């Protein structure tokens, strides 16, 4: 063992109290590591801060950020509800034993099969996106069934975030516009439906948002719409789901606001505005995904070497790729990283970190100052807990990494590393 390989070395990064080289020795790379205590702490922050003396509240974890059986179990243990957007997410949650009554079924294009799955499993709430979904649901729902329904509305608010993860502009594909007169008819028909219980509205402004004002504006606009519905249709909207979007820290450019101070303020604003508008204060729901898991996640890669191009650019080659780290290629997202077995070594050179995919856009980090790496050093990319494992693919027939939970010096494998056999499990021969 060389000097760098001594476990518990001061120059090594620890994740959840486990030395990064121990993680690599036991689980190999590329590897997703989640600090379980950090996830639990974020859940508790949301659960304790999103409370108000006169407003009922509910925190729902947006499972698209990171879902597997173990996280579904953890989320249930922490008392949150769960948002799923597909049959696959729903099936995973149900397989984990997540109580169906606490599941919210979202998505903008639910198929008949997915809706049937939701009805068969008595999913607690279906969040309808549009009239077609209502028609599909009506065609399969039985007379003696009663299902809670929310309607996704689009209040036309522009959140300051990347275009691909912004959702409430007027031309977004999600929900029905509050400015569209047809929305009133849709609300009326949901309300009148004998097998549906219309409970309220859902809206989601976008993701990775750092401005508290965007959330306040969203809440106030929705409340005004609730008052409008009361006046126009005489329907009381009992619940208001404000979606997710709370920003996370990836690099020092990101400054998430304090949830502890903002969430109670948001509820105060909602209570006060409801009174001003002469409506009953609705129950308020939020759906954080990224803010719960992003910062708890680390991706570990083995560095195989470096390459200086003829043009003078310096690459670090890792055993990962855009298949396990898509966000840089897709959103030009920025990340911080370190050499996990030499965290206190001086950063000396600017590198572009890349991987194995056959694609010039296969970039993990575009520009980062790092110590000069040696072969088999471990690169640790921070804040990769959200939308990494869930957006990973088998491009180039690369294997999806394992996922390990680490906390209090112990580790748990929660998703096995894929094998080559997994890659061909659904392939069929031509049969000639
Ligand atoms: N609720 C709804 C209805 C959503 O559409 C989303 C995210 C969330 C909640 C959770 O948002 P969060 O709290 O995680 O920001 N793949 C992109 C993010 C797409 C988000 C889609 N919807 C990324 O990697 O940044």
């Amino acid at each position: 063992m060389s000097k760098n390989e001594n476990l518990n070395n001061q120059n090594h990064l620890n994740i959840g109290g486990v030395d990064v080289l121990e993680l690599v020795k036991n689980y190999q790379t590329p590897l997703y590591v989640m600090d379980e205590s950090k996830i639990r702490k974020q859940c508790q922050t949301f659960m304790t801060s999103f409370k108000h003396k006169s407003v009922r509240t509910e925190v729902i974890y947006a499972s698209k950020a990171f879902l597997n059986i173990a996280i579904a179990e953890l989320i249930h243990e922490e008392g949150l509800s769960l948002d799923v957007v597909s049959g696959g997410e729903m099936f995973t949650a149900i397989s984990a034993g997540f109580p169906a009554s606490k599941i919210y079924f979202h998505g903008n294009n639910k198929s008949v099969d997915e809706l049937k799955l939701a009805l068969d499993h008595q999913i607690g709430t279906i969040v309808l996106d549009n009239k077609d979904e209502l028609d599909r649901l009506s065609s399969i729902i039985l007379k003696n069934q009663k299902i809670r329904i929310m309607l996704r509305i689009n209040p036309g608010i522009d959140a300051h975030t990347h275009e691909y993860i912004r959702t409430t502009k007027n031309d977004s594909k999600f929900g029905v516009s509050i400015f569209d007169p047809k929305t009133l008819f849709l609300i009326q028909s949901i309300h009148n439906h004998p097998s549906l219980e219309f409970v309220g509205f859902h809206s989601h402004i976008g993701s990775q948002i750092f401005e508290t004002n965007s959330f306040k504006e969203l809440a106030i606009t929705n409340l005004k719409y609730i008052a409008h519905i009361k006046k126009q249709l005489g329907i009381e909207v009992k619940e208001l789901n404000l979606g997710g979007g709370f920003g996370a820290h990836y690099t020092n450019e990101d400054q998430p606001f304090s949830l502890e101070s903002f969430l109670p303020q948001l509820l105060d604003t909602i209570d006060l505005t409801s009174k001003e508008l002469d409506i009953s204060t609705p129950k308020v729901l939020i759906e954080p995904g990224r803010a719960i898991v992003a910062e708890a996640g680390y991706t570990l890669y083995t560095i195989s070497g470096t390459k200086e191009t003829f043009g003078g650019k310096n690459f670090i080659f890792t055993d990962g790729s855009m298949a396990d780290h898509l966000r840089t290629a897709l959103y030009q997202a920025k990340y911080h990283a370190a050499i996990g077995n030499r965290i206190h070594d001086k950063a000396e050179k600017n590198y572009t970190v890349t991987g194995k995919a056959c694609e010039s856009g296969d970039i993990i980090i575009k520009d980062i100052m790092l110590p000069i790496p040696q072969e088999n050093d471990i690169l640790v990319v921070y804040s990769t807990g959200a939308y990494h494992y869930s957006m990973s693919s088998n491009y180039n027939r690369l294997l999806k990494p394992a996922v390990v939970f680490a906390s209090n010096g112990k580790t748990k494998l929660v998703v096995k590393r894929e094998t080559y056999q997994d890659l061909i499990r659904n392939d069929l021969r031509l049969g000639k």
Side-chain angles (χ1 to χ4, degrees), residues 221-281:
T221 309
N222 278 326
L223 291 170
K224 285 185 180 157
Y225 192 59
I226 290 177
H228 178 67
I229 294 303
K230 182 181 166 190
K231 204 163 148 222
Q232 292 293 311
L233 305 177
I235 296 174
E236 192 198 347
V237 175
K238 298 186 212 85
E239 300 185 17
L240 175 60
N241 183 333
L242 294 173
F246 305 92
H249 179 273
Y250 291 85
T251 68
N252 289 338
E253 286 177 18
D254 304 321
Q255 303 291 337
F257 50 80
S258 151
L259 295 166
E260 286 92 335
S261 63
F262 175 65
L263 293 176
Q265 270 179 39
L266 179 65
L267 292 169
D268 273 341
T269 306
I270 290 172
D271 197 29
L272 201 75
T273 312
S274 302
K275 293 197 167 88
E276 282 167 11
L277 292 166
D278 196 25
I279 53 171
S280 329
T281 307

Side-chain angles (χ1 to χ4, degrees), residues 118-295:
L119 294 178
D120 287 350
H121 287 283
Q122 296 179 312
I123 294 301
T125 310
I126 297 183
V127 184
L128 290 180
D129 182 272
N130 53 60
K131 181 165 180 311
D132 284 358
E133 284 192 352
L134 172 63
D135 295 345
R136 259 174 247 155
L137 182 61
S138 302
S139 72
I140 55 166
I141 198 162
L142 303 173
K143 284 219 167 54
N144 59 354
Q145 278 179 312
K146 193 83 178 171
I147 185 121
R148 276 169 45 91
I149 298 291
M150 296 192 104
L151 176 66
R152 180 160 183 171
I153 53 171
N154 176 354
I157 291 167
D158 210 359
H160 294 256
T161 187
H162 192 286
E163 191 186 353
Y164 292 2
I165 51 181
R166 193 189 294 158
T167 51
T168 37
K169 283 191 312 180
N170 275 329
D171 284 330
S172 155
K173 72 166 182 167
F174 299 105
V176 286
S177 170
I178 61 170
F179 304 107
D180 186 342
K182 290 197 290 297
T183 301
L184 289 183
F185 294 107
L186 186 56
I187 296 167
Q188 187 75 65
S189 29
I190 300 172
H191 182 74
N192 291 347
H193 198 294
S195 301
L196 306 180
E197 183 198 356
F198 172 64
V199 291
F201 294 133
H202 168 272
S203 55
H204 168 78
I205 197 175
S207 205
Q208 186 63 347
I209 293 166
F210 296 117
E211 292 164 29
T212 53
N213 271 345
S214 299
F215 289 101
K216 282 197 178 155
E217 200 188 331
L218 175 68
I220 293 169
T221 309
N222 278 326
L223 291 170
K224 285 185 180 157
Y225 192 59
I226 290 177
H228 178 67
I229 294 303
K230 182 181 166 190
K231 204 163 148 222
Q232 292 293 311
L233 305 177
I235 296 174
E236 192 198 347
V237 175
K238 298 186 212 85
E239 300 185 17
L240 175 60
N241 183 333
L242 294 173
F246 305 92
H249 179 273
Y250 291 85
T251 68
N252 289 338
E253 286 177 18
D254 304 321
Q255 303 291 337
F257 50 80
S258 151
L259 295 166
E260 286 92 335
S261 63
F262 175 65
L263 293 176
Q265 270 179 39
L266 179 65
L267 292 169
D268 273 341
T269 306
I270 290 172
D271 197 29
L272 201 75
T273 312
S274 302
K275 293 197 167 88
E276 282 167 11
L277 292 166
D278 196 25
I279 53 171
S280 329
T281 307
K283 175 177 174 183
V284 187
L285 303 88
I286 47 171
E287 272 165 5
R290 185 192 314 271
I292 290 188
V293 286
E295 292 172 39

